[in-house]
Amino acid sequence: MDMVKLKIDGQLIQAPKGTTILEAALSNGIHIPSLCYLKDISDGGVCRICVCEAEGSKKFLPACTTSISEGMCVYTDTPAVRESRRLNLELIMANHNGDCTECERGGDCELQMLCKEYGVNRKRFGAYSETHQVDQSDAYIVRNNDRCVQCRRCVSVCKNAENVGAIGVFGRGSGTRIGIDVPLRETNCIHCGMCVACCPVGALTVKDDTFSVWKAIADKRRKVAAVVAPGVEVEIGECFGEPAGSNCAGKLVSMLRLIGFDRVYCAGAAAARTVSEELSALETAKKAGELPLIGCTCPAALEYINQYYPELSKNISRGKSTQMNACGMCREELCGDEVFVVSLTTCLAEKTAVRKNPYADAVLTVPEIAAMIKRAGVSTYTAAQVWDGLDETEYDHFKNEASVWAISKTGGIGPLLDESGGLYVTGLKTADAYLKQIKEGALKPSYLEILACPGGCLNGGGQSHQTGSAHSLTDLAESRSKGLKNCFELRNTEEM
Amino acid sequence: MKGLNMLLQPDEACIHRAIQLARDDPKGALDVLKASGLRGRSGSSFPTGIKWEMTAQCSSAEKYVVCNADEGEPGTFKDRALLELAAENVVCGIVVCGILTEAVKGYIYLREEYSSLKAGIETAIQKLSPDFPIEVYAGCGSYVCGEETALLESLEGRRGEPQNKPPYPSSAGLFGKPTVISNVETFANVPFILSNGAEAFRMNGTPKHTGTKLVSLSGCVENPGVYEFPLGTTIGEIFETAGGCPEGKKLKGMQIGGGSGAVAGLDALSAAFDDEGCAKAGASTGTGSILFFDETCDVLDLCLNISEFFEKESCGKCAPCRLGNQRIHAILEDMYNNGGTPDDLEKLESLGRFMTKSAACGLGQAAAMPLLSALRSFKDDFLKHLRRSSLIEE
Amino acid sequence: MTNLCEFSEFLSGCGKEDLVKALKEAQSLWGYIPPDAERMIGEKLEIPIAYVASVKSFYSYLYSDLPASCIIRVCRAVSCHVSESKKTLSEFEKALNLKAGETTADGKFRLEVCGCLGACDKAPAIMVNDKLFGPVRPEDVVKILENLQRR
């Protein structure tokens, strides 16, 4: 690989040719702030927060789009650069309603963080008059353009990673706005939720389902059970300052019990059931010559297939996903009681799935779970300390559960089938290319499992929020899956 | 016809000679073009021969030539004159470029406002380009499409938003293929150069800036219109050639290079109209237009008008241009109507600097140029409004 | 609608890169871009509806509603501004009894403010549909409107 030598802030750095200034800096521990950059997904160059000075250039260079060159001298933190960033942020704030105290992302917002860092005077360019551009048309996702910073991450991820393109940019000049002209309900949105996961602020949020859960918990006649998707174990800690990939199952279970859940199960316990169901369905499909059998783990991917490849709809497995099976086992277990089953996932599309097939009474995403934990009589300021001090406890067990809890690296069930002709794909952009080939008959897998989010459920639409430089097609899922894999092995040896 | 007259009157013999030469000896023709010293007339002043050669050297079976006729820069109308009076010169330039670069197709991106010229251009194409297909593509009304990457986006059916460079169009342009994109006037210079030779072309202009330049003159001048001058002619001479100041008026200043050009006082009259001369006067030749204004003109009001234009016409993609123009407009409007606040000048300066340094494309970087230069050369016009405000103590 | 069939035929020869062309074609058939045509473009060209609408909203000469039979565009760019186009504009507003951006009740006239028309030597310039006029002083406005009424 061709290497390029350059200096960033006086530090001599070597990086492969074609690397951007931002990536080269990041991999050498130099932090350059940004709002629009989304690793591997966005073209960047929009927010201009990441501008740097470079010797020999009169203009500032955007670190996220400028490739490094031999002998380059870049300065990422000069007074002039700081001034440009501060002014930029002040202008953004002059077009932002600043309702941080009621915003779902307050305290977990990239803009808020930057404003603090750069000492931004919110009112210097006059008070913002709200436009009330709020899109409530969709049943699950809300867009509030009074908070939007027009970084276009949502636009990029929807188009470039998911191949959907439900979010457009409208108008031009100071009247430019994102996604409001065509209400989300009228678009081809498949509810993968990646836009929500990638939004640096609170412009895109999930409609809050925690209230029904609180209500059920308060109702003493009801038994409230949590069914935790394995991905949640490795993401929940991120909301309390733990690095990505830390497995926090023990603390999560303790916390859920403290909140008032009567039972806490791991969905991984249902994997064996799903595997055997899918294998027999595959057997039938093979006999009938109706291949590929398409796995039903991901509701967003199924929606995509129904929309764009309706001729493949008949191939979708009629079985249940692991999460569904776990919820079903939970109902069997507690039969006789008045049960309220809460599915805890890293997925936003699960919310759409339960509406069609009410196997759970509520679905919560990771940010919602974190919000519940923070609200559970724990003040936000001390949530982290409480979290740190928690003891770890064990999951409840189903009576008839298999001795092995299984989880695949991506969150799907496919790889566990051990099927030689199986095809397992994550990210709809990638998947679309395969679907085309399957449609044309050029590719004939026996089993097909598509997970809509790039990297799979561990980079799902209901994940904990991460900054743009952390997001990528695979990196984030990869580091989270490390936590997952360890716990899987650990549990295996314990129970064998 | 005004001033010199090389570009605005097509000479049929000259046009055919040029095309023939390009056919017979493409490499030689490219050398003549390079020797002529012709530079792009869009404002970038990039040597045309070198630019075309870069695309010529790309080994791709599919290359394009695009003529930028999206003349949206306020105060500029020389491309309209060219396409109205001398479409054949322009088409000849495109045909030659097509031959030299071995392109498969040419496009003329014509702004919607000029759609009435389409028929005339198509006649010229039929006449001069039987083999090389050239499509006249009518825009839909967007200032930013004058920026080359935005224009290509628009040609591909998308929003006309400038793209990150590199890659440059010369290697990856229209549909990702090597593309020459040049200004109407640049193409119009080609027939003269090829048929009369580089030396004849260099007779006009300065050693560094060769040839003649079309200048659009408007505002406080006796005979507004399009003129042709050797590059390096002083702005004062240009002004006098156009009849000077109309009777009863007194010249106050001028805006040089289009709506995003610098606003300058009378001392700029002595500046030579080429890159170096204009740079000395704190300006640039831009699209080659000069707007003169008289004593009754309030420069703050002028800047207010310009900022309103840019606030609307920014493509809205990058934050400095979208938000900067919006705030500059708001502040100027407040100063104009209510006298503003004491720190307005400082805010305007820093907004202007911010846009110049941090905006994504050339248009966004230039949008604050009128304001920044006006704050230097006509500060009193701003202070006058500030003094009206009770917040300022005399 | 016979136009829709005609339009559908036009679209069958189009690819994704012809989106703007398709929008213009729709406009030439209907005088504006009706929602049905917009949807059809999206389906035939396989472009998400949000993107069709997004591109449409970018260009100022593409309309979502039926414009007037006579669109009067008054240039407010800087050259016309120093020639007092503001006064010409307000004269039009007065004579038509509306504000820029609006259409008269009878649907005949629509008044618009526009960027540079490239007719700065004729400042203040206006464009009526695709025809240029200039210089248009405030005192000329009533006469121009009378002529247009007659057509």
Side-chain angles (χ1 to χ4, degrees):
Chain A
M1 201 185 297
D2 278 357
M3 294 300 275
V4 172
K5 280 197 211 81
L6 74 156
K7 264 187 179 169
I8 302 182
D9 296 340
Q11 186 181 331
L12 198 64
I13 281 172
Q14 272 200 26
K17 199 179 163 194
T19 311
T20 62
I21 297 175
L22 188 79
E23 288 160 355
L26 208 60
S27 54
N28 284 276
I30 300 169
H31 167 72
I32 301 175
S34 72
L35 277 177
C36 70
Y37 174 74
L38 203 52
K39 192 167 182 251
D40 300 334
I41 294 167
S42 146
D43 297 335
V46 173
C47 75
R48 317 303 278 189
I49 294 282
C50 71
V51 291
C52 295
E53 273 190 90
E55 272 174 26
S57 168
K58 275 192 234 159
K59 313 281 176 202
F60 292 159
L61 302 177
C64 68
T65 62
T66 311
S67 296
I68 53 170
S69 57
E70 188 66 36
M72 203 178 208
C73 283
V74 183
Y75 301 94
T76 69
D77 198 27
T78 65
V81 162
R82 278 199 297 273
E83 170 60 21
S84 172
R85 289 181 190 152
R86 191 172 59 91
L87 190 59
N88 197 337
L89 291 165
E90 282 177 342
L91 292 175
I92 289 173
M93 288 313 288
N95 287 278
H96 185 93
N97 67 359
D99 64 341
C100 308
T101 49
E102 57 194 79
C103 177
E104 292 85 338
R105 291 291 298 276
D108 176 27
C109 167
E110 293 182 47
L111 177 63
Q112 201 178 34
M113 239 153 55
L114 282 175
C115 284
K116 265 189 197 156
E117 212 172 298
Y118 284 88
V120 163
N121 175 349
R122 181 155 86 82
K123 296 264 169 74
R124 187 165 161 229
F125 288 97
Y128 174 61
S129 52
E130 296 204 22
T131 59
H132 300 290
Q133 288 183 353
V134 181
D135 179 0
Q136 301 253 30
S137 68
D138 190 77
Y140 312 96
I141 298 172
V142 184
R143 166 176 289 281
N144 183 345
N145 271 3
D146 281 320
R147 294 172 183 163
C148 176
V149 297
Q150 306 211 6
C151 66
R152 303 190 178 194
R153 276 189 198 171
C154 56
V155 179
S156 304
V157 79
C158 189
K159 179 106 171 112
N160 299 345
E162 300 300 60
N163 207 37
V164 171
I167 307 171
V169 180
F170 297 93
R172 68 175 191 224
S174 61
T176 310
R177 60 220 167 258
I178 310 294
I180 207 88
D181 287 35
V182 180
L184 200 56
R185 194 184 48 192
E186 289 168 30
T187 68
N188 46 343
C189 171
I190 53 159
H191 297 100
C192 68
M194 280 312 284
C195 56
V196 179
C198 291
C199 183
V201 295
L204 282 161
T205 48
V206 175
K207 279 195 183 161
D208 194 335
D209 280 334
T210 57
F211 295 104
S212 65
V213 179
W214 284 120
K215 213 173 137 195
I217 288 172
D219 186 345
K220 291 294 162 219
R221 288 165 305 163
R222 288 191 132 171
K223 274 223 156 49
V224 184
V227 176
V228 181
V232 177
E233 299 174 356
V234 290
E235 286 184 28
I236 191 72
E238 294 169 24
C239 305
F240 298 92
E242 312 249 10
S246 324
N247 192 299
C248 298
K251 288 190 175 188
L252 176 65
V253 175
S254 306
M255 199 64 221
L256 291 172
R257 293 220 169 95
L258 275 175
I259 288 173
F261 282 92
D262 299 298
R263 297 286 171 90
V264 183
Y265 297 109
C266 177
R273 185 188 275 202
T274 311
V275 168
S276 78
E277 279 176 9
E278 287 299 273
L279 282 175
S280 71
L282 184 59
E283 198 67 24
T284 318
K286 272 180 180 165
K287 273 184 199 139
E290 285 165 354
L291 294 177
L293 181 70
I294 300 175
C296 65
T297 299
C298 175
L302 299 187
E303 178 61 30
Y304 186 84
I305 290 170
N306 287 331
Q307 257 190 55
Y308 296 99
Y309 296 90
E311 60 279 9
L312 291 175
S313 295
K314 62 176 184 351
N315 293 30
I316 295 170
S317 164
R318 281 176 189 68
K320 298 188 189 73
S321 69
T322 307
Q323 195 70 20
M324 275 186 192
N325 269 330
C327 291
M329 284 165 76
C330 179
R331 280 195 203 282
E332 288 162 21
E333 187 85 10
L334 302 173
C335 104
D337 290 311
E338 208 176 317
V339 196
F340 190 89
V341 179
V342 187
S343 173
L344 271 50
T345 70
T346 60
C347 177
L348 190 143
E350 284 285 335
K351 287 179 187 265
T352 67
V354 291
R355 197 160 287 202
K356 283 178 198 149
N357 173 10
Y359 55 87
D361 299 293
V363 173
L364 297 181
T365 61
V366 177
E368 285 173 298
I369 303 163
M372 276 194 85
I373 295 176
K374 286 178 185 172
R375 248 174 253 162
V378 179
S379 112
T380 308
Y381 300 102
T382 55
Q385 285 99 298
V386 171
W387 178 263
D388 284 344
L390 276 176
D391 287 330
E392 304 198 1
T393 50
E394 288 269 327
Y395 279 112
D396 291 307
H397 289 272
F398 295 120
K399 275 185 220 104
N400 308 319
E401 72 184 35
S403 58
V404 180
W405 288 6
I407 307 141
S408 88
K409 210 170 139 185
T410 53
I413 196 78
L416 305 177
L417 296 183
D418 231 357
E419 166 65 28
S420 60
L423 177 62
Y424 316 112
V425 195
T426 72
L428 287 174
K429 183 88 176 181
T430 322
D432 190 76
Y434 287 113
L435 283 168
K436 244 184 216 125
Q437 290 181 46
I438 291 169
K439 184 184 165 184
E440 287 160 2
L443 193 67
K444 289 179 179 146
S446 56
Y447 191 84
L448 172 68
E449 183 176 72
I450 298 172
L451 303 175
C453 298
C457 308
L458 295 187
N459 192 22
Q463 65 181 293
S464 69
H465 289 289
Q466 283 292 333
T467 60
S469 46
H471 271 292
S472 81
L473 297 177
T474 46
D475 293 6
L476 195 54
E478 189 73 42
S479 46
R480 285 171 179 162
S481 77
K482 286 197 183 112
L484 205 56
K485 201 170 152 222
N486 290 340
C487 95
F488 171 43
E489 284 164 358
L490 191 72
R491 205 173 286 154
N492 247 347
T493 46
E494 259 178 12
E495 299 193 359
M496 295 274 265
Chain B
M1 213 45 54
K2 298 149 180 174
L4 283 173
N5 193 12
M6 287 153 61
L7 292 168
L8 288 171
Q9 210 174 44
D11 172 344
E12 201 152 316
C14 164
I15 285 170
H16 286 292
R17 248 194 334 269
I19 294 178
Q20 199 56 49
L21 181 73
R23 283 219 178 93
D24 297 344
D25 180 12
K27 210 180 160 303
L30 205 49
D31 287 338
V32 175
L33 208 58
K34 282 199 287 184
S36 75
L38 173 67
R39 285 165 180 268
R41 299 299 196 224
S42 63
S44 67
S45 280
F46 194 83
T48 305
I50 295 176
K51 184 170 174 176
W52 291 13
E53 192 177 50
M54 287 195 295
T55 301
Q57 283 169 348
C58 286
S59 56
S60 166
E62 202 181 323
K63 299 183 204 173
Y64 296 95
V65 177
V66 178
C67 170
N68 185 346
D70 192 49
E71 185 179 51
E73 190 64 34
T76 313
F77 47 104
K78 45 124 189 147
D79 291 345
R80 178 199 278 275
L82 266 173
L83 293 168
E84 214 164 62
L85 303 169
E88 292 183 13
N89 275 344
V90 181
V91 173
C92 169
I94 299 170
V95 172
V96 167
C97 183
I99 296 168
L100 301 189
T101 56
E102 297 175 309
V104 292
K105 190 174 175 186
Y107 287 90
I108 298 176
Y109 188 99
L110 186 69
R111 69 189 298 234
E112 165 73 23
E113 289 85 344
Y114 291 0
S115 53
S116 61
L117 304 177
K118 192 174 175 187
I121 299 169
E122 278 172 346
T123 312
I125 293 171
Q126 265 165 20
K127 196 167 147 193
L128 296 176
S129 190
D131 312 320
F132 181 60
I134 301 176
E135 181 180 335
V136 182
Y137 184 97
C140 299
S142 153
Y143 166 75
V144 183
C145 286
E147 201 275 346
E148 57 180 8
T149 55
L151 187 147
L152 295 177
E153 282 291 297
S154 181
L155 257 184
E156 289 182 36
R158 293 191 286 272
R159 292 166 61 88
E161 290 173 351
Q163 302 298 301
N164 300 322
K165 285 191 265 193
Y168 292 94
S170 54
S171 58
L174 192 60
F175 305 118
K177 306 294 179 197
T179 302
V180 168
I181 170 161
S182 290
N183 178 259
V184 171
E185 189 184 345
T186 313
F187 284 116
N189 271 292
V190 171
F192 181 92
I193 295 172
L194 289 199
S195 68
N196 298 303
E199 274 315 301
F201 183 76
R202 300 185 75 105
M203 300 274 283
N204 283 309
T206 66
K208 187 158 178 219
H209 296 281
T210 56
T212 60
K213 175 85 193 77
L214 291 180
V215 188
S216 319
L217 301 180
S218 62
C220 170
V221 57
E222 184 63 33
N223 302 306
V226 177
Y227 292 76
E228 187 171 352
F229 289 103
L231 275 159
T233 311
T234 66
I235 294 176
E237 282 173 73
I238 293 174
F239 184 57
E240 289 312 320
T241 310
C245 210
E247 223 181 297
K249 295 201 169 170
K250 200 163 163 240
L251 189 66
K252 177 175 179 176
M254 64 215 75
Q255 188 182 19
I256 305 166
S260 58
V263 178
L266 296 179
D267 44 350
L269 285 171
S270 61
F273 197 66
D274 60 30
D275 287 354
E276 280 75 24
C278 283
K280 270 184 216 148
S284 68
T285 52
T287 53
S289 56
I290 307 171
L291 163 67
F292 297 99
F293 51 87
D294 69 8
E295 285 284 333
T296 62
C297 175
D298 173 357
V299 174
L300 185 142
D301 177 44
L302 189 86
C303 290
L304 173 60
N305 173 273
I306 293 167
S307 69
E308 194 180 345
F309 174 82
F310 284 121
E311 186 190 352
K312 258 191 237 162
E313 290 294 340
S314 160
C315 80
K317 186 174 168 187
C318 82
C321 182
R322 181 182 76 246
L323 303 173
N325 281 313
Q326 179 195 31
R327 284 305 141 182
I328 287 176
H329 179 217
I331 293 171
L332 289 175
E333 193 163 46
D334 182 53
M335 283 174 81
Y336 187 80
N337 293 329
N338 312 313
T341 55
D343 58 352
D344 277 349
L345 290 187
E346 187 205 319
K347 280 190 204 162
L348 288 172
E349 288 262 7
S350 54
L351 283 170
R353 260 200 321 272
F354 169 54
M355 289 168 62
T356 312
K357 291 243 178 195
S358 297
C361 78
L363 300 185
Q365 290 160 3
M369 178 78 158
L371 174 71
L372 288 174
S373 56
L375 283 171
R376 281 195 300 270
S377 37
F378 295 100
K379 195 163 187 171
D380 277 348
D381 280 27
F382 292 83
L383 291 174
K384 195 174 68 197
H385 284 274
L386 276 182
R387 284 194 198 100
R388 291 194 297 134
S389 155
S390 57
L391 293 163
I392 295 265
E393 290 177 18
E394 286 291 325
Chain C
M1 241 196 301
T2 47
N3 274 354
L4 266 182
C5 299
E6 196 181 318
F7 188 54
S8 159
E9 214 160 281
F10 172 85
L11 289 178
S12 59
C14 286
K16 281 190 170 53
E17 70 281 6
D18 296 316
L19 173 57
V20 175
K21 263 188 207 165
L23 289 166
K24 288 194 97 174
E25 176 69 15
Q27 182 150 302
S28 74
L29 283 170
W30 288 280
Y32 72 112
I33 299 156
D36 281 350
E38 209 172 306
R39 263 192 295 277
M40 191 183 254
I41 292 173
E43 276 162 29
K44 293 256 175 176
L45 271 51
E46 293 179 7
I47 299 174
I49 189 70
Y51 275 66
V52 179
S54 158
V55 169
K56 185 189 72 180
S57 71
F58 184 81
Y59 296 100
S60 48
Y61 285 74
L62 296 176
Y63 292 101
S64 305
D65 54 345
L66 195 60
S69 52
C70 207
I71 305 175
I72 301 168
R73 294 188 172 89
V74 180
C75 178
R76 283 287 292 129
V78 64
S79 292
C80 288
H81 178 68
V82 301
S83 303
E84 302 193 310
S85 59
K86 208 189 239 167
K87 287 186 182 160
T88 304
L89 177 67
S90 42
E91 196 60 32
F92 270 111
E93 289 182 330
K94 215 167 77 189
L96 293 168
N97 192 26
L98 46 64
K99 289 257 162 271
E102 293 174 352
T103 307
T104 51
D106 61 1
K108 178 130 197 186
F109 294 106
R110 179 180 182 130
L111 186 65
E112 279 188 7
V113 164
C114 68
C116 188
L117 289 172
C120 320
D121 50 343
K122 303 185 188 74
I126 68 162
M127 197 160 84
V128 179
N129 293 340
D130 62 350
K131 228 177 142 170
L132 262 181
F133 296 87
V136 180
R137 306 274 168 212
E139 55 269 27
D140 306 325
V141 166
V142 173
K143 188 119 201 267
I144 287 176
L145 285 176
E146 271 172 18
N147 284 336
L148 291 172
Q149 257 325 337
R150 239 176 274 137
R151 277 201 325 204

